[in-house]
Amino acid sequence: MATYDAILRDGLVVDPANGVHRVADVALKDGKVAAVGSVSGDATAEHDVAGRVVMPGIVDLHVHLSPWLGGAEGHRMLALAGVTTALDMAGPVEGVVSLAASHGAGLNIACIDYLRPGHTVAGEDPGEAELADTLTRAQKAGAIGLKLLGGHFPLTPEASAAAIKVANDRGAYVAFHVGTLAHHSTIDGVAEACELTAGGRLHMAHINSYCRGQVREAIVEGEEAMAHLRANPAIWSESYLAPFNGVSAKCAGGAPESLATRRSLERGGYAPTEDGMAAAIAGGWAMIHATKDGAIVLVSGDEALALWRARDTNIGASFISNPPEPRIRLVTATEADGRFSVDCLATDGGGIPRNDIVARGLPLVRLDALTLDGFVTKASWAPAVALGIGAQKGHLGLGADGDVTVLDMAELKPTMSYANGRLVMRDGAVFGAGSRMIVTAAGERTCRDAGLDTLTVEPGAMLPPRAEAMAPRH
């Protein structure tokens, strides 16, 4: 009988949480990390990873995996990108759970449910009692918290503040795509969001997307965003490196439903209407998300217009929106104490085709703009801590979950991953199936009834105080 389930031999093990950066073997057994070092004994599966980097499994803190945005293909797309854990940042949670059960690729999946007038709340100004009921329903359905979609479906400032307070009072996760009925998703919206948080815990989504030069020069907005984060140390943040955004192209009443879509059209000189959307697609300003060979890709022109119409407009779209200077600066910038100004490197991907933590992140390592330890911290350790699962994930300490991503530094791509001790991906082939949902105790039954394994996170563990939580484990 084999001593271990799997051994990855002779890779460069990079685990900054435990102070490990050396060539070593990593052994997995019963879903956990069983040994790191010179491992004797045999295994059911042994992999020679000499010349490769072995890191804790990538944790993408911002993806989309619901029927509303992202879709079923996102699971396989994440697996191919070397991701082992991901947070769906909108829901609806019922759809996320359903797709995790039917199309899972072996990953760990968490979800926060959106606050959308007419869908999860009655209107644009829900009170604390309604918001508390909404959070209770979302957690029972499998979510770990709430998402304010201010860039798409803004609430009043008062309701936005109340939602953050309700989540904080309950120890739930809460994230904000900044924007209210008073301020749009711009750098001014970032300032407003910080005020509405009132010193509480928050995940500020895709900080780079508020630095597009809509108010001041984009690079100046990036510096302002970091200043706001510096003044609000309880706020966690992430940014992405892709040049394009991702939105819903669905129209109703002659216009796109999403405010973000309408504003993207206006930035390109198109009317914020359904006819304007058609013109933007035909003109190449808007790209449509098409499913090809089990993945979602971007298409444009006549093909995109025909697909959008065939789907009755209910499909995803992307616009080139993000200037390069703040994107790179926000990923690489550090504070005086050495910690990153923006905590995590994410993608806003999943079923949106930009799962590029490795593809765009590793070139920054090659350019010496990021250290390899810094890359692993932003891509694995920090997001695991933000999710409240830093004891189990984001590092390769003994007894941690067997989540591993292997990187080819020459090709700048992931070549293998394990999640919970099971092979997910190797050399561009996906072997994983099913999903493990990260839930609160309230959502365990719903997810298990759906045929999903669960990992339960405790209230108050999510979005912990950043300085203390990110202290090295060694």
Side-chain angles (χ1 to χ4, degrees):
M1 182 176 180
T3 309
Y4 300 103
D5 297 324
I7 301 175
L8 289 74
R9 293 201 180 275
D10 296 322
L12 175 61
V13 179
V14 181
D15 177 13
N18 289 302
V20 177
H21 191 126
R22 67 179 188 273
V23 173
D25 306 327
V26 175
L28 309 177
K29 185 176 178 64
D30 297 331
K32 305 290 184 181
V33 176
V36 177
S38 181
V39 176
S40 59
D42 58 358
T44 303
E46 295 203 25
H47 307 285
D48 180 359
V49 292
R52 305 285 170 88
V53 169
V54 178
M55 63 173 283
I58 292 174
V59 181
D60 193 334
L61 204 61
H62 191 150
V63 307
H64 293 285
L65 296 167
S66 77
W68 174 67
L69 188 62
E73 295 81 6
H75 285 267
R76 181 172 178 272
M77 293 164 67
L78 285 167
L80 289 170
V83 173
T84 61
T85 301
L87 172 63
D88 177 273
M89 282 275 278
V93 61
E94 294 84 0
V96 171
V97 170
S98 176
L99 291 181
S102 62
H103 288 78
L107 310 183
N108 307 285
I109 302 296
C111 175
I112 52 177
D113 204 18
Y114 64 5
L115 293 172
R116 180 176 175 182
H119 289 250
T120 55
V121 291
E124 296 171 334
D125 191 32
E128 285 193 25
E130 183 181 0
L131 290 164
D133 288 344
T134 301
L135 176 57
T136 296
R137 290 195 303 271
Q139 290 179 320
K140 186 176 180 180
I144 60 172
L146 298 174
K147 171 76 175 291
L148 290 90
L149 277 176
H152 299 274
F153 307 106
L155 304 177
T156 65
E158 295 77 14
S160 300
I164 296 167
K165 180 180 183 299
V166 165
N168 273 251
D169 288 348
R170 295 262 291 270
Y173 206 97
V174 58
F176 199 174
H177 177 154
V178 307
T180 69
L181 292 175
H183 289 88
H184 293 303
S185 293
T186 65
I187 192 63
D188 292 338
V190 172
E192 180 194 39
C194 291
E195 293 177 5
L196 297 177
T197 303
R201 298 172 298 108
L202 182 71
H203 169 173
M204 190 174 289
H206 47 44
I207 195 78
N208 60 288
S209 69
Y210 318 121
C211 307
R212 292 171 171 161
Q214 295 169 267
V215 179
R216 286 170 282 282
E217 290 186 27
I219 193 67
V220 173
E221 292 178 344
E223 297 302 316
E224 288 186 32
M226 290 187 288
H228 287 305
L229 294 172
R230 197 174 301 124
N232 292 271
I235 296 179
W236 288 78
S237 59
E238 37 87 4
S239 64
Y240 64 83
L241 283 165
F244 51 89
N245 67 355
V247 296
S248 170
K250 185 178 180 183
C251 297
E257 289 184 338
S258 167
L259 175 61
T261 308
R262 297 195 296 271
R263 289 179 63 81
S264 293
L265 288 170
E266 290 173 331
R267 280 199 301 274
Y270 294 89
T273 63
E274 185 168 345
D275 288 343
M277 187 73 195
I281 296 170
W285 174 244
M287 297 170 285
I288 293 298
H289 300 176
T291 302
K292 295 185 178 182
D293 299 323
I296 297 174
V297 299
L298 299 178
V299 297
S300 58
D302 291 342
E303 179 185 4
L305 188 60
L307 179 59
W308 178 68
R309 286 175 171 159
R311 289 284 298 272
D312 195 24
T313 76
N314 189 16
I315 197 167
S318 291
F319 301 84
I320 299 294
S321 299
N322 303 307
E325 296 87 356
R327 280 189 282 138
I328 296 170
R329 171 70 171 151
L330 290 166
V331 169
T332 58
T334 56
E335 298 297 313
D337 61 4
R339 287 183 297 154
F340 285 106
S341 304
V342 176
D343 301 293
C344 306
L345 173 58
T347 65
D348 200 0
I352 298 173
R354 55 180 179 198
N355 299 295
D356 55 5
I357 284 177
V358 173
R360 284 193 167 94
L362 285 188
L364 295 179
V365 176
R366 180 174 283 181
L367 287 169
D368 295 322
L370 272 180
T371 66
L372 193 51
D373 282 61
F375 172 82
V376 175
T377 295
K378 291 184 72 93
S380 183
W381 172 231
V385 171
L387 281 171
I389 54 175
Q392 302 99 322
K393 299 184 184 295
H395 66 95
L396 297 174
L398 299 184
D401 287 347
D403 295 2
V404 180
T405 301
V406 179
L407 307 174
D408 183 329
M409 296 299 294
E411 297 292 331
L412 302 176
K413 68 180 184 181
T415 60
M416 187 186 307
S417 62
Y418 273 79
N420 303 305
R422 298 178 180 175
L423 182 66
V424 170
M425 182 273 292
R426 184 176 65 214
D427 297 330
V430 175
F431 299 91
S435 303
R436 173 175 286 184
M437 288 296 298
I438 300 167
V439 297
T440 65
E444 289 176 350
R445 181 172 180 178
T446 297
C447 291
R448 289 176 181 170
D449 286 348
L452 296 165
D453 190 12
T454 58
L455 169 60
T456 302
V457 62
E458 296 297 324
M462 298 169 278
L463 302 173
R466 293 164 58 240
E468 297 88 340
M470 287 303 298
R473 292 169 47 86
H474 60 286

